[in-house]
Amino acid sequence: MDDRCNRVRGDCHRFFLGEGCRTVPLSGHVGFDSLPDQLVNKSVNHGFCFNILCVGETGLGKSTLMDTLFNTKFEGEPASHSQPGVQLKSSTYDLQESNVGLKLTVVGTVGFGDQINKEDSYKPIVEFIDAQFEAYLQEELKIKRVLHNFHDSRIHACLYFIAPTGHSLKSLDLVTMKKLDSKVNIIPIIAKSDAISKSELTKFKIKITSELVSNGVQIYQFPTDDESVAEINGTMNAHLPFAVIGSTEELKIGNKMMKARQYPWGTVQVENETHCDFVKLREMLIRVNMEDLREQTHTRHYELYRRCKLEEMGFKDTDPDSKPFSCTKSLIVSRSCIRMKKRSWRTRRNLWTMKSMRLNRGRRQLNCSSLRPSRLEDHRLLKGKRREKTFFKSVLASCTVSEGEDCHL
Ligand SMILES: Nc1nc2c(ncn2[C@@H]2O[C@H](COP(=O)(O)OP(=O)(O)O)[C@@H](O)[C@H]2O)c(=O)[nH]1
Ligand SMILES: [Mg+2]
């Protein structure tokens, strides 16, 4: 069998190169197995971007944790508790590690949980996330788009800071997480976990997990479909929510300088896994799953936003016979709908103009004061006319692409 194959291969070789053709020996390895390296080089040259949203009440240690995570001091004044509403503050930094560049954006929720009425506290956060999706969608829809140079500000990870009460989640936490879970990858963390004892912490974690499940809040799960990280990710999923401690202060412990917090009764080490889950969070967020978080944002959350938006605009993938609908066809349908609507409004406007012209002519011909409407009627007629004129004007102006949505041809 091998012999036959070799013969066939030899024949093919002769057929392609021709008899007596000079064969040049290869100077090195030739193959497409270098493709992954090419991709890596290209990505490294281009750099990466990662956007983190920190949601949590003022004073829960959001800024401190970011400084601790990225081992730097991000600028920013501590927020006061007297903000009239929730505001999102975003700062972008260019970080470098070895030869890899990272454009990191940290977004904080200033004033979250500081108002007496917290009903609408989640709204500015939802609006912010949607605004980033919208900016990306608008770039994607451009004819001349430059997505590779576009600063992608979509949120890849949302660290949700839970107060270390040891009781249960607050209503504000549940409502906010519920509103965000279809838009962003939520990683819940127990902030300032040095304020809670070991046995209380275990119970608190169980309570939080059960409350999230019973309220149908979907939090981000570290992926277990890739064999190389399945084990570690599976184990870490069981540790959620991570109990963290933040500190930028370095203390000498033994003969080493370590990030820690010192209290009258002792020292808590940030990077000691028996003291808190900070290392677990750093590993999962930065070292193991950063790319998955970016991918999930694009393929799950952005995809959902994009689908809803395009449907709102009147785009459809299938026509009434369930046949695939091309993008151009959708556009044509949308436009023809608008044209039809405009035409019908114009006809109505013309009829109305003709009617009022006829009325005026009749009035002029008669020129009889007894037949003229009273001043009050005159006023009503004029007001009605004006209102109708404004109405027609606004209808014609609002006939844009989005009007195709409720049109069935
Ligand atoms: N006990 C304790 N205090 C912390 C921790 N992280 C930060 N803090 C302190 O909490 C205060 C508020 O922290 P900050 O990062 O400004 O909170 P933010 O308003 O959420 O950004 C500061 O005095 C921090 O030193 C922590 O893990 N444990
Ligand atoms: Mg802060």
Side-chain angles (χ1 to χ4, degrees), residues 56-65 78-79 191-195 244-247 261 263:
E57 291 167 51
T58 310
L60 269 185
K62 299 184 293 294
S63 308
T64 313
L65 191 80
K192 295 188 173 182
S193 69
D194 51 333
V244 295
I245 295 168
S247 175
R261 297 186 76 85
Y263 297 103

PDB file of all heavy atoms in Angstrom, residues 56-65 78-79 191-195 244-247 261 263, ligand 1:
ATOM      1  N   GLY A  56     -19.674  49.349  43.293  1.00  0.00           N
ATOM      2  CA  GLY A  56     -19.770  49.107  44.739  1.00  0.00           C
ATOM      3  C   GLY A  56     -19.895  50.425  45.469  1.00  0.00           C
ATOM      4  O   GLY A  56     -19.565  51.489  44.927  1.00  0.00           O
ATOM      5  N   GLU A  57     -20.365  50.312  46.702  1.00  0.00           N
ATOM      6  CA  GLU A  57     -20.580  51.527  47.483  1.00  0.00           C
ATOM      7  C   GLU A  57     -19.272  52.276  47.732  1.00  0.00           C
ATOM      8  O   GLU A  57     -18.200  51.658  47.764  1.00  0.00           O
ATOM      9  CB  GLU A  57     -21.225  51.145  48.821  1.00  0.00           C
ATOM     10  CG  GLU A  57     -22.645  50.642  48.657  1.00  0.00           C
ATOM     11  CD  GLU A  57     -23.155  49.983  49.926  1.00  0.00           C
ATOM     12  OE1 GLU A  57     -23.047  50.606  50.985  1.00  0.00           O
ATOM     13  OE2 GLU A  57     -23.645  48.862  49.851  1.00  0.00           O
ATOM     14  N   THR A  58     -19.409  53.579  47.936  1.00  0.00           N
ATOM     15  CA  THR A  58     -18.232  54.415  48.211  1.00  0.00           C
ATOM     16  C   THR A  58     -17.545  53.939  49.494  1.00  0.00           C
ATOM     17  O   THR A  58     -18.219  53.649  50.480  1.00  0.00           O
ATOM     18  CB  THR A  58     -18.689  55.886  48.386  1.00  0.00           C
ATOM     19  OG1 THR A  58     -19.522  56.222  47.280  1.00  0.00           O
ATOM     20  CG2 THR A  58     -17.515  56.840  48.464  1.00  0.00           C
ATOM     21  N   GLY A  59     -16.227  53.831  49.416  1.00  0.00           N
ATOM     22  CA  GLY A  59     -15.455  53.460  50.605  1.00  0.00           C
ATOM     23  C   GLY A  59     -15.265  51.968  50.780  1.00  0.00           C
ATOM     24  O   GLY A  59     -14.698  51.528  51.779  1.00  0.00           O
ATOM     25  N   LEU A  60     -15.708  51.157  49.799  1.00  0.00           N
ATOM     26  CA  LEU A  60     -15.556  49.704  49.943  1.00  0.00           C
ATOM     27  C   LEU A  60     -14.176  49.208  49.509  1.00  0.00           C
ATOM     28  O   LEU A  60     -13.904  48.007  49.540  1.00  0.00           O
ATOM     29  CB  LEU A  60     -16.639  48.976  49.146  1.00  0.00           C
ATOM     30  CG  LEU A  60     -17.937  48.654  49.880  1.00  0.00           C
ATOM     31  CD1 LEU A  60     -18.864  47.816  49.008  1.00  0.00           C
ATOM     32  CD2 LEU A  60     -17.660  47.910  51.177  1.00  0.00           C
ATOM     33  N   GLY A  61     -13.330  50.147  49.057  1.00  0.00           N
ATOM     34  CA  GLY A  61     -11.959  49.761  48.697  1.00  0.00           C
ATOM     35  C   GLY A  61     -11.761  49.472  47.210  1.00  0.00           C
ATOM     36  O   GLY A  61     -10.852  48.736  46.842  1.00  0.00           O
ATOM     37  N   LYS A  62     -12.574  50.079  46.343  1.00  0.00           N
ATOM     38  CA  LYS A  62     -12.462  49.826  44.902  1.00  0.00           C
ATOM     39  C   LYS A  62     -11.128  50.355  44.355  1.00  0.00           C
ATOM     40  O   LYS A  62     -10.388  49.623  43.685  1.00  0.00           O
ATOM     41  CB  LYS A  62     -13.632  50.501  44.146  1.00  0.00           C
ATOM     42  CG  LYS A  62     -14.998  49.984  44.571  1.00  0.00           C
ATOM     43  CD  LYS A  62     -16.115  50.570  43.757  1.00  0.00           C
ATOM     44  CE  LYS A  62     -16.314  52.052  43.972  1.00  0.00           C
ATOM     45  NZ  LYS A  62     -16.765  52.408  45.335  1.00  0.00           N
ATOM     46  N   SER A  63     -10.854  51.631  44.661  1.00  0.00           N
ATOM     47  CA  SER A  63      -9.618  52.236  44.137  1.00  0.00           C
ATOM     48  C   SER A  63      -8.392  51.525  44.705  1.00  0.00           C
ATOM     49  O   SER A  63      -7.446  51.236  43.960  1.00  0.00           O
ATOM     50  CB  SER A  63      -9.555  53.717  44.497  1.00  0.00           C
ATOM     51  OG  SER A  63     -10.747  54.350  44.109  1.00  0.00           O
ATOM     52  N   THR A  64      -8.433  51.192  45.973  1.00  0.00           N
ATOM     53  CA  THR A  64      -7.286  50.519  46.601  1.00  0.00           C
ATOM     54  C   THR A  64      -7.039  49.169  45.935  1.00  0.00           C
ATOM     55  O   THR A  64      -5.899  48.795  45.669  1.00  0.00           O
ATOM     56  CB  THR A  64      -7.547  50.320  48.120  1.00  0.00           C
ATOM     57  OG1 THR A  64      -8.021  51.546  48.657  1.00  0.00           O
ATOM     58  CG2 THR A  64      -6.308  49.891  48.852  1.00  0.00           C
ATOM     59  N   LEU A  65      -8.137  48.434  45.653  1.00  0.00           N
ATOM     60  CA  LEU A  65      -7.968  47.113  45.044  1.00  0.00           C
ATOM     61  C   LEU A  65      -7.364  47.222  43.643  1.00  0.00           C
ATOM     62  O   LEU A  65      -6.510  46.414  43.266  1.00  0.00           O
ATOM     63  CB  LEU A  65      -9.299  46.368  44.987  1.00  0.00           C
ATOM     64  CG  LEU A  65      -9.101  44.895  44.605  1.00  0.00           C
ATOM     65  CD1 LEU A  65      -8.658  44.071  45.798  1.00  0.00           C
ATOM     66  CD2 LEU A  65     -10.328  44.285  43.998  1.00  0.00           C
ATOM     67  N   PRO A  78     -10.307  60.384  46.656  1.00  0.00           N
ATOM     68  CA  PRO A  78     -11.406  59.578  47.233  1.00  0.00           C
ATOM     69  C   PRO A  78     -12.736  60.321  47.097  1.00  0.00           C
ATOM     70  O   PRO A  78     -12.787  61.546  47.278  1.00  0.00           O
ATOM     71  CB  PRO A  78     -11.018  59.447  48.710  1.00  0.00           C
ATOM     72  CG  PRO A  78      -9.581  59.813  48.798  1.00  0.00           C
ATOM     73  CD  PRO A  78      -9.276  60.720  47.653  1.00  0.00           C
ATOM     74  N   ALA A  79     -13.766  59.572  46.716  1.00  0.00           N
ATOM     75  CA  ALA A  79     -15.074  60.216  46.497  1.00  0.00           C
ATOM     76  C   ALA A  79     -15.754  60.526  47.823  1.00  0.00           C
ATOM     77  O   ALA A  79     -15.565  59.803  48.806  1.00  0.00           O
ATOM     78  CB  ALA A  79     -15.948  59.289  45.667  1.00  0.00           C
ATOM     79  N   ALA A 191     -15.647  42.672  49.568  1.00  0.00           N
ATOM     80  CA  ALA A 191     -14.616  43.684  49.815  1.00  0.00           C
ATOM     81  C   ALA A 191     -14.229  43.705  51.291  1.00  0.00           C
ATOM     82  O   ALA A 191     -14.994  43.232  52.138  1.00  0.00           O
ATOM     83  CB  ALA A 191     -15.159  45.044  49.399  1.00  0.00           C
ATOM     84  N   LYS A 192     -13.052  44.225  51.565  1.00  0.00           N
ATOM     85  CA  LYS A 192     -12.559  44.403  52.944  1.00  0.00           C
ATOM     86  C   LYS A 192     -12.793  43.153  53.780  1.00  0.00           C
ATOM     87  O   LYS A 192     -13.359  43.224  54.885  1.00  0.00           O
ATOM     88  CB  LYS A 192     -13.247  45.605  53.596  1.00  0.00           C
ATOM     89  CG  LYS A 192     -12.902  46.934  52.938  1.00  0.00           C
ATOM     90  CD  LYS A 192     -13.459  48.077  53.736  1.00  0.00           C
ATOM     91  CE  LYS A 192     -12.992  49.419  53.210  1.00  0.00           C
ATOM     92  NZ  LYS A 192     -13.468  50.543  53.993  1.00  0.00           N
ATOM     93  N   SER A 193     -12.407  42.006  53.239  1.00  0.00           N
ATOM     94  CA  SER A 193     -12.763  40.751  53.906  1.00  0.00           C
ATOM     95  C   SER A 193     -11.996  40.542  55.207  1.00  0.00           C
ATOM     96  O   SER A 193     -12.262  39.561  55.918  1.00  0.00           O
ATOM     97  CB  SER A 193     -12.570  39.575  52.959  1.00  0.00           C
ATOM     98  OG  SER A 193     -11.206  39.403  52.722  1.00  0.00           O
ATOM     99  N   ASP A 194     -11.074  41.459  55.532  1.00  0.00           N
ATOM    100  CA  ASP A 194     -10.400  41.350  56.835  1.00  0.00           C
ATOM    101  C   ASP A 194     -11.359  41.741  57.962  1.00  0.00           C
ATOM    102  O   ASP A 194     -11.044  41.571  59.144  1.00  0.00           O
ATOM    103  CB  ASP A 194      -9.130  42.216  56.878  1.00  0.00           C
ATOM    104  CG  ASP A 194      -9.364  43.648  56.431  1.00  0.00           C
ATOM    105  OD1 ASP A 194     -10.286  43.864  55.636  1.00  0.00           O
ATOM    106  OD2 ASP A 194      -8.626  44.549  56.881  1.00  0.00           O
ATOM    107  N   ALA A 195     -12.530  42.248  57.568  1.00  0.00           N
ATOM    108  CA  ALA A 195     -13.508  42.671  58.582  1.00  0.00           C
ATOM    109  C   ALA A 195     -14.441  41.530  58.972  1.00  0.00           C
ATOM    110  O   ALA A 195     -15.399  41.738  59.713  1.00  0.00           O
ATOM    111  CB  ALA A 195     -14.314  43.836  58.047  1.00  0.00           C
ATOM    112  N   VAL A 244     -11.643  39.555  49.228  1.00  0.00           N
ATOM    113  CA  VAL A 244     -10.365  40.233  48.953  1.00  0.00           C
ATOM    114  C   VAL A 244     -10.015  41.306  49.996  1.00  0.00           C
ATOM    115  O   VAL A 244     -10.875  41.817  50.705  1.00  0.00           O
ATOM    116  CB  VAL A 244     -10.363  40.878  47.549  1.00  0.00           C
ATOM    117  CG1 VAL A 244     -10.452  39.820  46.467  1.00  0.00           C
ATOM    118  CG2 VAL A 244     -11.472  41.897  47.410  1.00  0.00           C
ATOM    119  N   ILE A 245      -8.736  41.614  49.999  1.00  0.00           N
ATOM    120  CA  ILE A 245      -8.210  42.695  50.833  1.00  0.00           C
ATOM    121  C   ILE A 245      -7.296  43.510  49.922  1.00  0.00           C
ATOM    122  O   ILE A 245      -6.572  42.933  49.108  1.00  0.00           O
ATOM    123  CB  ILE A 245      -7.397  42.120  52.026  1.00  0.00           C
ATOM    124  CG1 ILE A 245      -8.321  41.333  52.965  1.00  0.00           C
ATOM    125  CG2 ILE A 245      -6.672  43.226  52.784  1.00  0.00           C
ATOM    126  CD1 ILE A 245      -7.580  40.497  53.985  1.00  0.00           C
ATOM    127  N   GLY A 246      -7.373  44.796  50.037  1.00  0.00           N
ATOM    128  CA  GLY A 246      -6.507  45.646  49.209  1.00  0.00           C
ATOM    129  C   GLY A 246      -5.587  46.479  50.074  1.00  0.00           C
ATOM    130  O   GLY A 246      -5.970  46.910  51.170  1.00  0.00           O
ATOM    131  N   SER A 247      -4.374  46.700  49.589  1.00  0.00           N
ATOM    132  CA  SER A 247      -3.447  47.597  50.286  1.00  0.00           C
ATOM    133  C   SER A 247      -2.267  47.912  49.374  1.00  0.00           C
ATOM    134  O   SER A 247      -1.775  47.035  48.668  1.00  0.00           O
ATOM    135  CB  SER A 247      -2.933  46.943  51.555  1.00  0.00           C
ATOM    136  OG  SER A 247      -1.960  47.770  52.141  1.00  0.00           O
ATOM    137  N   ARG A 261      -1.717  44.927  55.512  1.00  0.00           N
ATOM    138  CA  ARG A 261      -2.395  45.935  56.340  1.00  0.00           C
ATOM    139  C   ARG A 261      -2.060  45.603  57.783  1.00  0.00           C
ATOM    140  O   ARG A 261      -2.224  44.463  58.212  1.00  0.00           O
ATOM    141  CB  ARG A 261      -3.917  45.894  56.143  1.00  0.00           C
ATOM    142  CG  ARG A 261      -4.382  46.219  54.754  1.00  0.00           C
ATOM    143  CD  ARG A 261      -5.897  46.298  54.703  1.00  0.00           C
ATOM    144  NE  ARG A 261      -6.359  47.540  55.283  1.00  0.00           N
ATOM    145  CZ  ARG A 261      -6.449  48.684  54.614  1.00  0.00           C
ATOM    146  NH1 ARG A 261      -6.113  48.723  53.337  1.00  0.00           N
ATOM    147  NH2 ARG A 261      -6.865  49.783  55.200  1.00  0.00           N
ATOM    148  N   TYR A 263      -2.539  46.071  61.803  1.00  0.00           N
ATOM    149  CA  TYR A 263      -3.506  46.445  62.830  1.00  0.00           C
ATOM    150  C   TYR A 263      -2.842  46.311  64.197  1.00  0.00           C
ATOM    151  O   TYR A 263      -1.803  45.649  64.310  1.00  0.00           O
ATOM    152  CB  TYR A 263      -4.731  45.526  62.732  1.00  0.00           C
ATOM    153  CG  TYR A 263      -5.451  45.694  61.405  1.00  0.00           C
ATOM    154  CD1 TYR A 263      -5.309  44.744  60.395  1.00  0.00           C
ATOM    155  CD2 TYR A 263      -6.229  46.817  61.162  1.00  0.00           C
ATOM    156  CE1 TYR A 263      -5.937  44.917  59.174  1.00  0.00           C
ATOM    157  CE2 TYR A 263      -6.859  46.984  59.941  1.00  0.00           C
ATOM    158  CZ  TYR A 263      -6.713  46.038  58.954  1.00  0.00           C
ATOM    159  OH  TYR A 263      -7.321  46.213  57.751  1.00  0.00           O
TER     160      TYR A 263
HETATM  161  N1  LIG B   1      -9.940  47.147  56.305  1.00  0.00           N
HETATM  162  C1  LIG B   1      -9.759  47.383  55.005  1.00  0.00           C
HETATM  163  N2  LIG B   1      -9.728  48.643  54.567  1.00  0.00           N
HETATM  164  C2  LIG B   1      -9.531  48.860  53.236  1.00  0.00           C
HETATM  165  C3  LIG B   1      -9.378  47.808  52.326  1.00  0.00           C
HETATM  166  N3  LIG B   1      -9.213  48.313  51.085  1.00  0.00           N
HETATM  167  C4  LIG B   1      -9.258  49.645  51.224  1.00  0.00           C
HETATM  168  N4  LIG B   1      -9.449  49.985  52.491  1.00  0.00           N
HETATM  169  C5  LIG B   1      -9.557  51.336  53.058  1.00  0.00           C
HETATM  170  O1  LIG B   1     -10.872  51.828  52.808  1.00  0.00           O
HETATM  171  C6  LIG B   1     -10.845  53.217  52.567  1.00  0.00           C
HETATM  172  C7  LIG B   1     -11.550  53.539  51.244  1.00  0.00           C
HETATM  173  O2  LIG B   1     -10.878  52.922  50.185  1.00  0.00           O
HETATM  174  P1  LIG B   1     -11.060  53.386  48.676  1.00  0.00           P
HETATM  175  O3  LIG B   1     -10.187  52.504  47.863  1.00  0.00           O
HETATM  176  O4  LIG B   1     -10.844  54.857  48.547  1.00  0.00           O
HETATM  177  O5  LIG B   1     -12.611  53.059  48.444  1.00  0.00           O
HETATM  178  P2  LIG B   1     -13.544  53.399  47.166  1.00  0.00           P
HETATM  179  O6  LIG B   1     -14.344  54.590  47.533  1.00  0.00           O
HETATM  180  O7  LIG B   1     -14.399  52.211  47.005  1.00  0.00           O
HETATM  181  O8  LIG B   1     -12.647  53.632  45.998  1.00  0.00           O
HETATM  182  C8  LIG B   1      -9.368  53.605  52.557  1.00  0.00           C
HETATM  183  O9  LIG B   1      -9.060  54.149  53.808  1.00  0.00           O
HETATM  184  C9  LIG B   1      -8.638  52.297  52.360  1.00  0.00           C
HETATM  185  O10 LIG B   1      -7.369  52.283  52.966  1.00  0.00           O
HETATM  186  C10 LIG B   1      -9.417  46.471  52.838  1.00  0.00           C
HETATM  187  O11 LIG B   1      -9.300  45.492  52.132  1.00  0.00           O
HETATM  188  N5  LIG B   1      -9.611  46.318  54.183  1.00  0.00           N
END
